[in-house]
Amino acid sequence: MSGRPDSVRHVIERWNRDQVLALAPDAPSQKAAQGVSSPGKWSGVGVTADAVWGECKGSGSKPYRACVDLTEPAYKCTCPSRKFPCKHALGLLLLWSAGGVPDAAEPADWTAEWLDQRRARAARPARAERSDPAPDPKRAEQREQRVAAGLEELERWLADQVRQGLAGARRHDQWDGLVKRLVDAQAPGVAGTVSRLGSVLTAEDWPARLLGEYSLIHLLLTAHRRAVPEGAPDALGAGLRQTVRTRIGFSVAKEEVLAGETVRDRWDVLGRRDEEQDRLTTRRVWLRGRTTGRAALVLSFAPAGQALDVSLVTGTTMDAGLAFYPGSAPLRALVAERHGGVSAGAPPGSSLEEALAEVAAALAGDPWLDSWPLVLDRVAPVRDGGWLLGGPDGGLPLHPSAGVPWRLLAVSGGHPLTVAAEWTPRGLLPLAAWNEEGLVVL
């Protein structure tokens, strides 16, 4: 295996401490990793374009062998930890990010063997899988009928809410029974939407926001009613029809998505956000293509307390092909294939005017959209009543939950930055920023 090209060496060295710690499955793992990141703990360390490796002294007679495939990243360690990545892999990355790992022409034998095994598995043709049985038309028709009945009840309930007024909406338990009936009707998407209505009541402007949520639900129900059976002429169009069905809860199989076309580009990983609900943690990772300019959202799920996917590192750029779920404003995607390693550097940004036009186009395709990734060029946090991300052509408000953007203020020092943020109807949620040297700050 040859040594790293200069361009790759420069890119790899730009991984910083924040990016490494963001890979940890939990806060205790972050603390433990810092405890094993000192040079005195390690021996036989080295790094190439593909991997970093080393042996960490533990409590036993033999040191733990840890290595990281930097092109994914992926991890291997001989320790018995069930956390992924373990503290030794994270500690090794911290040591490397601090400049404590020397370059090597080739990886250690045991690391090379693991890398070869990974490459062989990736290159091995997939075994022909048994085709799934054809869907049962009778069962599909029964589900359509259940969903239609559940949505009819929801529409009547909405009409009652508007007729009676919003004064009685302060009771949080009023939606519980309706949510259960929608789940029974096999409409989990809209059931989730109704279950989240209670969170609106904590806002000062809750009547306006609740009425807005009711309006969006009514729009969804109207769109579903106008949709026609698949294969017939559709007044909504195929893309919008699929968006409506997805919002209601008709899922598309992962295999079906991966069997479709892929979009290859150099994808900037803009940031991620974890949300926990009903003992399930959802990780949302935002990406943007450098050539296509397309936005993408990669989701992963895990029971609360268990490790989530950490292969997409904020601040890196990967050459990959993404397969998008169908819809009128395709956003959710799967990483179908990777080409080569990862690089780093600030992504290209847009002006505030261009960003607003992009969001408007996305909302025109999917009116129920509640988030969208943006990369804003030459903006800085400014105070104007509330906090904004301001630039030469105006400013966009930050989400109330963002509070005072202390870290952005410290990084910018009053100077413009490139900032990745998640647009929401209530304001921007900053994800990452790039300083004048092009280094990412989470």
Side-chain angles (χ1 to χ4, degrees):
M1 188 177 292
S2 61
R4 292 182 294 166
D6 289 342
S7 60
V8 176
R9 180 184 298 112
H10 173 71
V11 160
I12 290 177
E13 288 174 351
R14 301 190 75 87
W15 284 39
N16 59 36
R17 181 175 177 276
D18 278 355
Q19 289 173 287
V20 173
L21 292 177
L23 301 174
D26 50 37
S29 295
Q30 292 181 337
K31 183 177 181 180
Q34 294 174 75
V36 297
S37 63
S38 60
K41 293 277 189 180
W42 292 88
S43 61
V45 294
V47 63
T48 66
D50 299 313
V52 58
W53 64 92
E55 297 183 353
C56 183
K57 183 179 180 180
S59 57
S61 58
K62 292 183 178 180
Y64 296 123
R65 287 180 167 180
C67 51
V68 180
D69 183 343
L70 297 172
T71 65
E72 290 286 343
Y75 316 89
K76 180 178 176 62
C77 184
T78 58
C79 76
S81 174
R82 294 184 179 181
K83 293 187 177 182
F84 187 81
C86 69
K87 67 178 182 180
H88 303 104
L90 291 169
L92 176 62
L93 287 173
L94 286 173
L95 179 65
W96 163 67
S97 69
V101 178
D103 288 352
E106 294 187 2
D109 292 343
W110 54 274
T111 303
E113 181 181 359
W114 176 63
L115 291 174
D116 290 342
Q117 291 173 351
R118 287 181 51 77
R119 305 296 183 263
R121 285 195 297 269
R124 188 181 304 148
R127 294 180 180 178
E129 299 181 357
R130 292 178 298 175
S131 58
D132 294 332
D136 184 349
K138 184 176 180 180
R139 182 173 297 179
E141 183 181 356
Q142 289 175 342
R143 182 183 180 185
E144 295 284 355
Q145 292 173 351
R146 290 194 191 99
V147 170
L151 298 187
E152 286 179 7
E153 180 186 354
L154 176 57
E155 194 162 15
R156 290 193 298 270
W157 179 86
L158 277 177
D160 291 341
Q161 297 300 303
V162 174
R163 182 167 50 252
Q164 296 169 7
L166 301 180
R170 300 291 290 187
R171 290 184 14 253
H172 285 263
D173 61 345
Q174 66 162 322
W175 296 298
D176 293 347
L178 180 61
V179 170
K180 292 177 181 177
R181 292 192 294 276
L182 287 170
V183 171
D184 292 340
Q186 295 182 279
V190 73
T193 300
V194 174
S195 70
R196 291 188 292 271
L197 290 176
S199 63
V200 174
L201 302 181
T202 59
E204 292 184 5
D205 58 343
W206 69 266
R209 289 187 56 199
L210 184 61
L211 190 58
E213 294 293 336
Y214 283 171
S215 300
L216 287 173
I217 294 174
H218 182 265
L219 180 64
L220 182 65
L221 300 179
T222 302
H224 176 264
R225 194 168 58 246
R226 292 184 58 189
V228 296
E230 193 169 358
D234 195 342
L236 294 180
L240 184 54
R241 180 180 187 275
Q242 182 59 56
T243 295
V244 170
R245 291 180 65 81
T246 299
R247 295 289 181 185
I248 288 171
F250 290 93
S251 60
V252 179
K254 179 179 178 180
E255 293 74 19
E256 184 179 340
V257 176
L258 292 173
E261 294 183 0
T262 60
V263 179
R264 182 175 177 179
D265 203 341
R266 293 178 62 225
W267 297 93
D268 289 301
V269 184
L270 305 179
R272 75 186 191 197
R273 196 173 305 283
D274 294 346
E275 299 175 348
E276 187 173 330
Q277 185 176 17
D278 297 330
R279 290 176 292 182
L280 181 71
T281 303
T282 302
R283 172 159 292 171
R284 302 156 63 90
V285 183
W286 296 106
L287 300 94
R288 180 173 290 275
R290 290 212 171 190
T291 302
T292 61
R294 290 192 65 166
L297 171 64
V298 177
L299 298 178
S300 60
F301 308 90
Q306 295 192 16
L308 285 151
D309 177 34
V310 292
S311 63
L312 300 175
V313 182
T314 302
T316 61
T317 306
M318 64 175 182
D319 183 357
L322 300 190
F324 284 82
Y325 282 77
S328 50
L331 180 63
R332 186 184 173 189
L334 299 171
V335 180
E337 54 197 19
R338 294 174 182 258
H339 306 275
V342 296
S343 57
S350 58
S351 67
L352 294 174
E353 184 178 356
E354 292 168 337
L356 287 174
E358 181 182 344
V359 171
L363 286 171
D366 182 356
W368 305 278
L369 195 69
D370 59 2
S371 57
W372 189 266
L374 298 173
V375 182
L376 304 173
D377 190 30
R378 298 188 59 77
V379 294
V382 294
R383 179 102 183 185
D384 184 12
W387 284 99
L388 310 172
L389 278 181
D393 51 354
L396 293 177
L398 294 180
H399 194 283
S401 67
V404 181
W406 292 114
R407 199 158 195 192
L408 275 179
L409 287 167
V411 173
S412 68
H415 301 290
L417 300 168
T418 297
V419 178
E422 179 182 346
W423 171 89
T424 74
R426 299 193 67 201
L428 300 179
L429 289 167
L431 297 169
W434 287 259
N435 62 18
E436 294 178 351
E437 287 76 33
L439 297 180
V440 63
V441 179
L442 307 185

